[in-house]
Amino acid sequence: MPISRLPRVRLPSSLLVLACVACLGSQAAAQDAHTQNVQKPKPAADKPGDTDASRYCANVAPSIAEARVAWQTKRLNELDAQVRQRIADLEKAEAAAHDWIAKREELMKAANEDLVAIYAKMQPENAARQISTMDDRMAAAILGKLKPAAAGAILDEMEAERASRLAGLIAGGEEKKS
């Protein structure tokens, strides 16, 4: 039977209030008991593993921090040494480059412009014969100041070994002692 067809019974209001209070009271009591079990923290002594672990962590934390700082310091010192070594290597390379430039400029100064002009106007076979009798530094200086086509033609007329040695000097290589 549907609820709408049930006869309406009037309950005294005091009875209704009493039923509501009883119902709500039992729910509140059950909830309080549940929250006491759930939310009540257990004393630290009940968890010996947590206490020991937290004490251990607290005890080793400073030494771990010191070890990390020591390792980082050691690593920074290693990197600093590597950087200093690279700087030293670069300074050596820079010094070598300056030496090479100075030698190259000295070589180019050895041949004055008038002498270069003379060899530039000569036939390649005649110039090759005369340059072949000069020392390597002077010959390289003259050939280095000539136009590339003229220097190439003169080197073409020389014997291969001497031409190779002079080309190496012009390019900035070291003079070979024979």
Side-chain angles (χ1 to χ4, degrees):
M1 192 191 245
I3 294 179
S4 60
R5 292 191 181 183
L6 287 176
R8 287 193 174 184
V9 179
R10 291 207 134 189
L11 295 174
S13 59
S14 59
L15 187 59
L16 261 176
V17 170
L18 184 61
C20 287
V21 168
C23 185
L24 291 174
S26 65
Q27 286 179 351
Q31 189 176 14
D32 284 343
H34 179 64
T35 56
Q36 284 178 354
N37 290 340
V38 172
Q39 293 178 354
K40 184 177 180 182
K42 293 185 180 178
D46 289 350
K47 297 180 183 177
D50 289 344
T51 303
D52 290 343
S54 62
R55 271 190 276 149
Y56 174 77
C57 290
N59 288 337
V60 298
S63 61
I64 291 173
E66 289 174 16
R68 181 179 39 236
V69 168
W71 178 82
Q72 289 173 340
T73 303
K74 179 184 172 196
R75 184 68 180 137
L76 285 174
N77 288 337
E78 291 170 355
L79 292 173
D80 184 50
Q82 288 176 358
V83 167
R84 289 179 189 274
Q85 181 61 43
R86 287 183 183 172
I87 289 172
D89 292 344
L90 288 173
E91 287 173 347
K92 287 179 185 177
E94 182 181 26
H98 284 299
D99 289 345
W100 180 83
I101 291 170
K103 287 179 184 177
R104 177 83 174 146
E105 288 176 357
E106 181 185 325
L107 181 67
M108 290 297 125
K109 286 180 186 177
N112 66 28
E113 297 301 319
D114 293 335
L115 185 60
V116 171
I118 293 170
Y119 281 102
K121 293 179 183 174
M122 292 177 74
Q123 294 294 320
E125 55 275 350
N126 294 334
R129 225 181 353 211
Q130 289 188 8
I131 290 176
S132 293
T133 61
M134 294 180 183
D135 73 331
D136 286 350
R137 293 181 54 82
M138 180 58 88
I142 292 171
L143 290 170
K145 286 193 173 184
L146 288 172
K147 291 183 180 179
I154 293 171
L155 286 172
D156 189 42
E157 295 295 326
M158 291 183 174
E159 61 183 68
E161 184 180 323
R162 176 74 193 255
S164 173
R165 192 169 56 242
L166 292 176
L169 276 173
I170 293 168
E174 290 293 318
E175 183 176 349
K176 292 182 183 176
K177 306 290 181 194
S178 40

